[in-house]
């Protein structure tokens, strides 16, 4: 834990200003008595309370994140601070006044007579001060949390865009397009149309929440067509969507990362290439979406049983896409949807089950 | 006639490069187009072309790995071909090419850039000798593992249902074998699934020497290194009978003091 000393100094100065204000108020009600004693008492009590509470709160584990202990300990800390402040501060104030002769020619205060008012002032001021600093700490904590959340959201949006508009894919596709324009302009036009649809869908996906399965499959076709032109005979694909499921709404581009993973980690590394099959089917109680490839079997996602020496390295990109799918399913369907992925020597099979 | 080989897994791009080359350099004959790294090595050894255009990302073996293997197998009587890497977008690789002055092309290939590359290649071909050392140095630099990571202390290998903890001090050899890496100690052998290229940055380069693309050996365990009539090097380990090949790329490690 690190203690922010500038912040501590700030709190001390604010406490002193507050104490001074109280002393001034007290003096305003009894202008016939000297100003120095209430200032001495008020500052001594205020600084003691500040010290006990502001330093003491770091001793509590629950204060580590929010800056303030939660529940009973928090209340006890404030009460303890005020009680300590009253006794220690009163003795210190009295000592100061006697030593420096601030009582003047007046007799020292009658403890018994002033007890009630000074206790009242200490408790009220102590509570008000604590409340003020509590609100301040809490506000700073919430602001920090909000900043972190914003940063996280931005980062994940950027990452999503980066995986979708993967530069390697983009430049290779453009290179193919450039080559096609020379030899087969008609096919180049078709390829460009697929690319436009793919880019438009990708860039809109973060805004649209859901679309019909038909549209999902159309977008997959755009992507697979692009890849089929690039990979030539190394890629074969089938898309199977029964007509009665075509209008079923699903989160937009839910399957996209699975198909991209199949290409990138399954078929592209395989010398002979292979097949990708995307199917939708309805079973009693669920709608089943399957992406299956005959690739090398994605080694980028860690199977739990496998002894992996460097877990940090594994699944950097594939992992992000899959996490994204899990998060989206959880947000939309809660526990009603499931997602599983299995790798074998025959390839990879990913399955999503949605409520009908 | 100058001959060239193109290794590119995307058929349209391979054809396009061939067409661009025909316009940019009519006296260059493309003798073969292959779609993966292994075929690139095989065809290059069979046809001995003067120029190689290797795509970086290819199925099976990438362009850089293929070039390394080729450098290892290349007949020592022949000058090594001029090497040009081709990539769509690999920032790390491009930086390495720049640093090592290795020629490269970015896809889509721009005619102006291709002209420059061809001029360079021609200059290189005019002055090349059969001394492979500069090529080997370049390739070795390209293979440099990314930044060294935290040193590995223990190898966790699965044996049946349990995980065997093997202290790194006991390991004598790491050897790539198909999808696994064999980990040899003085008296035992384990299989792990972490690829050699992921292990390398975690090993102390002073202690473990890479002697071949698939072999990393504890330097103090090496007993002898010998060169045969064909110029190939092999090493033997203390207390072991098997001979291990030493790649040309790493032959510089062994010099008499």
């Amino acid at each position: 834990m690190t203690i922010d000393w500038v912040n501590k100094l700030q709190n001390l100065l604010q406490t002193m200003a507050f104490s001074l204000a109280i002393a001034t108020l007290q003096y305003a009600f009894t202008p016939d008595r000297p100003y120095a004693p209430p200032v001495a008492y008020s500052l001594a009590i205020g600084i003691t309370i500040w010290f006990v509470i502001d330093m003491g709160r770091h001793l509590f584990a629950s204060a580590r994140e929010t800056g303030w202990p939660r529940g009973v300990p928090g209340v006890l800390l404030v009460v303890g601070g005020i009680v300590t402040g009253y006794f220690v501060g009163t003795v210190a104030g009295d000592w100061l006044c006697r030593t420096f002769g601030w009582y003047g020619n007046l007799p020292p205060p009658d403890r018994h007579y002033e007890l009630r008012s000074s206790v009242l002032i200490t408790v009220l001021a102590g509570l008000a001060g604590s409340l003020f600093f509590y609100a301040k700490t809490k506000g700073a904590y919430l602001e920090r949390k909000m900043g972190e959340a914003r940063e996280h959201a931005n980062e994940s949006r950027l990452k999503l865009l980066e995986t979708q508009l993967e530069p390697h894919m983009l430049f290779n596709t453009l290179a193919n397009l450039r080559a096609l324009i020379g030899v087969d302009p008609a096919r180049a036009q078709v390829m460009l149309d697929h690319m436009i649809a793919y880019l438009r869908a990708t860039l809109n996906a973060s805004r649209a929440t859901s679309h019909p399965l038909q549209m999902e499959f159309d977008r997959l076709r755009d992507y697979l067509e692009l890849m089929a032109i690039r990979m030539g005979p190394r890629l074969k694909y089938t898309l199977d969507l029964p007509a009665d499921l075509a209008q079923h709404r699903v989160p937009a581009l839910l399957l996209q990362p699975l198909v991209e993973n199949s290409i990138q980690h399954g078929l592209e590394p395989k010398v002979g290439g292979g097949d990708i099959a995307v199917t939708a089917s309805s079973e009693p109680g669920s709608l089943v979406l399957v992406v299956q490839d005959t690739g090398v079997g994605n080694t980028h996602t860690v199977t739990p049983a496998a002894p992996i020496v460097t877990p940090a390295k594994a699944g950097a990109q594939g992992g992000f896409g899959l996490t994204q799918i899990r998060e989206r399913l959880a947000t939309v369907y809660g526990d009603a949807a499931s997602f599983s992925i299995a790798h074998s020597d025959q390839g990879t099979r990913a399955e999503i089950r949605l409520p009908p | 006639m100058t001959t060239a080989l193109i290794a590119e897994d995307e058929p349209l791009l391979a054809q396009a490069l061939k067409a661009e080359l025909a316009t940019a350099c009519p006296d260059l004959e493309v003798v073969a187009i292959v779609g993966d790294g292994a075929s690139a090595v095989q065809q290059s050894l069979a046809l001995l072309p003067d120029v190689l255009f290797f795509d970086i990302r290819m199925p099976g073996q990438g362009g850089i790995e293929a070039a390394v293997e080729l450098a290892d197998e290349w007949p020592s009587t022949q000058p090594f071909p001029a090497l040009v890497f081709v990539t769509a977008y690999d920032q790390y690789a491009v930086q390495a090419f720049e640093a090592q002055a290795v020629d490269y092309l970015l896809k889509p290939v721009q005619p102006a850039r291709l002209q420059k590359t061809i001029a360079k290649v021609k200059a290189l071909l005019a002055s090349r000798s059969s001394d492979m050392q500069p090529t080997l140095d370049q390739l070795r630099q390209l293979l440099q593992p990314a930044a060294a990571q935290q040193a590995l202390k223990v190898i966790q290998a699965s044996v049946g249902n349990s995980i065997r903890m093997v202290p790194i001090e006991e390991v004598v050899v790491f050897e790539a074998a198909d999808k696994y890496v064999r980990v040899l100690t003085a008296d035992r052998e384990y299989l792990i699934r972490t690829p050699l290229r992921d292990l390398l940055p975690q090993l102390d380069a002073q202690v473990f020497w890479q002697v071949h693309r698939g072999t990393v050996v504890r330097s103090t365990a090496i007993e002898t290194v010998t060169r045969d009539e064909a110029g190939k090097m092999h090493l033997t380990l203390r207390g072991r009978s098997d001979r291990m090949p030493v790649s040309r790329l790493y032959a510089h490690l062994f010099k008499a003091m």
Side-chain angles (χ1 to χ4, degrees), chain A residues 26-343:
Chain A
Q26 250 180 311
Y27 174 68
F29 282 103
T30 51
D32 50 321
R33 306 179 74 169
Y35 185 35
V39 170
Y41 275 84
S42 190
L43 278 177
I45 295 173
I47 290 172
T48 311
I49 297 181
W50 162 79
F51 184 81
V52 172
I53 297 183
D54 209 11
M55 296 299 171
R57 66 195 172 101
H58 292 292
L59 300 176
F60 295 88
S62 61
R64 197 149 294 171
E65 206 183 340
T66 56
W68 207 274
R70 266 193 300 268
V72 181
V75 175
L76 286 180
L77 181 67
V78 172
V79 172
I82 292 173
V83 171
T84 316
Y86 178 76
F87 287 110
V88 174
T90 309
V91 170
D94 189 44
W95 180 81
L96 280 173
C97 290
R98 279 179 202 282
T99 311
F100 296 102
W102 288 338
Y103 287 128
N105 43 18
L106 286 165
D110 177 355
R111 283 282 169 75
H112 186 71
Y113 172 72
E114 294 203 349
L115 184 65
R116 253 189 272 176
S117 69
S118 55
V119 165
L120 192 70
I121 292 172
T122 305
V123 169
L124 285 180
L127 284 178
S130 299
L131 208 62
F132 169 74
F133 284 117
Y134 173 73
K136 194 175 125 181
T137 321
K138 184 99 178 172
Y141 165 71
L142 287 178
E143 209 158 284
R144 201 174 60 236
K145 274 275 144 190
M146 261 162 64
E148 274 170 21
R150 236 192 327 263
E151 207 167 287
H152 181 75
N154 283 341
E155 207 172 278
S156 108
R157 196 173 310 147
L158 192 70
K159 230 167 157 188
L160 183 67
L161 205 64
E162 236 170 41
T163 38
Q164 286 167 335
L165 297 184
E166 207 251 312
H168 200 265
M169 186 257 175
L170 209 57
F171 285 110
N172 261 320
T173 308
L174 287 172
N176 272 277
L177 206 49
R178 189 177 186 282
L180 264 187
I181 289 171
V183 294
D184 191 347
R187 235 177 117 210
Q189 226 160 39
V190 174
M191 187 176 186
L192 191 56
D193 287 341
H194 284 303
M195 185 160 170
I196 290 167
Y198 170 76
L199 287 179
R200 199 182 295 285
T202 302
L203 293 171
N204 283 338
S206 44
R207 280 163 249 159
T209 47
S210 80
H211 62 190
L213 258 183
Q214 182 63 57
M215 209 179 275
E216 179 79 8
F217 273 63
D218 287 346
R219 295 295 79 81
L220 293 181
R221 190 183 304 279
D222 285 324
Y223 175 72
L224 286 166
E225 270 303 311
L226 283 180
M227 292 310 297
I229 293 172
R230 285 182 46 196
M231 294 172 69
R234 289 181 58 232
L235 171 65
K236 288 185 224 33
Y237 73 91
T238 51
L239 293 171
D240 183 15
L241 174 64
D244 57 322
L245 294 177
Q247 293 313 310
H248 193 100
R249 291 188 83 81
V250 292
L253 299 192
L254 183 68
L255 300 177
Q256 187 75 27
L258 293 177
V259 175
E260 281 174 16
N261 272 356
S262 277
I263 298 255
Q264 269 180 31
H265 304 301
L267 299 185
E268 272 191 338
K270 194 169 171 177
V271 175
D275 303 294
I276 292 184
V278 186
T279 51
S281 59
S282 63
E283 279 180 18
S286 54
L287 169 71
V288 186
L289 302 169
V290 174
V291 177
Q292 182 149 27
D293 68 63
T294 60
V296 293
N298 184 348
T299 48
H300 282 251
T301 41
V302 183
T303 36
I308 300 285
V309 187
T310 50
K313 172 94 187 171
Q317 190 156 32
F320 177 74
L322 303 186
T323 312
Q324 199 74 21
I325 291 178
R326 287 209 173 86
E327 279 175 9
R328 292 183 74 191
L329 287 177
T331 313
V332 181
Y333 303 103
D335 287 339
S338 70
F339 170 53
S340 63
I341 188 156
H343 310 292

Side-chain angles (χ1 to χ4, degrees), chain B residues 3-218:
Chain B
T3 53
L5 179 140
I6 296 175
E8 161 68 74
D9 59 322
E10 303 195 14
L12 273 170
L13 298 187
Q15 287 305 327
L17 182 58
K18 188 181 174 187
E20 296 277 1
L21 282 173
T23 344
C25 184
D27 60 339
L28 186 79
E29 186 197 357
V30 176
V31 287
I33 293 180
V34 295
D36 62 279
S39 317
V41 175
Q42 201 192 331
Q43 287 297 302
S44 302
L45 287 174
L47 301 167
L48 304 177
D50 303 306
V51 193
L52 305 172
F53 294 90
F54 276 13
D55 187 17
I56 299 217
R57 283 205 208 177
M58 285 188 288
Q61 198 177 29
I64 296 175
E65 293 78 23
V68 168
E69 191 182 336
L70 188 62
D72 226 7
E73 307 284 323
W74 194 258
S76 48
T77 51
Q78 288 279 332
F80 196 70
L83 195 53
V84 181
F85 287 111
V86 187
T87 180
Y89 185 90
D90 285 281
Q91 271 174 322
Y92 171 71
V94 166
Q95 275 170 16
F97 296 152
E98 293 278 2
Q100 295 307 314
V102 175
D103 221 345
Y104 68 94
L105 287 169
L106 288 177
K107 294 188 270 188
V109 176
Q110 307 292 309
R113 174 64 200 247
L114 188 61
Q115 285 288 0
K116 264 193 199 167
T117 300
I118 285 172
K120 264 200 203 165
V121 165
K122 280 185 170 160
L124 189 81
L125 290 180
S127 69
R128 76 181 164 162
S129 64
S130 56
D131 179 17
M132 280 188 64
Q133 210 50 52
T135 311
L136 291 174
D137 289 342
Q138 280 179 335
L139 289 173
R140 196 167 49 240
Q141 290 299 322
L142 290 184
L143 278 184
Q144 284 285 308
Q149 294 164 12
Q150 200 168 10
L152 200 59
K153 294 241 168 26
V154 65
I155 299 290
Q156 305 184 29
S158 72
V159 177
N161 286 329
S162 56
I163 300 241
R164 183 78 181 213
M165 308 292 276
V166 186
I168 201 84
E169 293 76 27
E170 291 182 13
V171 177
V172 179
V173 177
F174 291 97
E175 193 176 29
D178 199 16
K179 284 183 178 175
Y180 298 92
V181 168
R182 284 171 67 204
V183 181
L184 305 182
T185 65
D187 47 8
R188 291 208 53 176
E189 178 181 334
Y190 306 91
L191 288 179
I192 58 172
R193 294 176 62 152
T194 307
L196 211 51
R197 62 164 185 280
D198 291 354
L199 280 174
L200 268 171
Q202 302 180 67
L203 298 176
D204 184 348
Q206 302 289 317
V207 177
F208 287 100
W209 291 3
Q210 180 162 26
V211 297
H212 193 263
R213 64 175 178 278
T215 323
V216 177
V217 180
R218 173 180 292 276

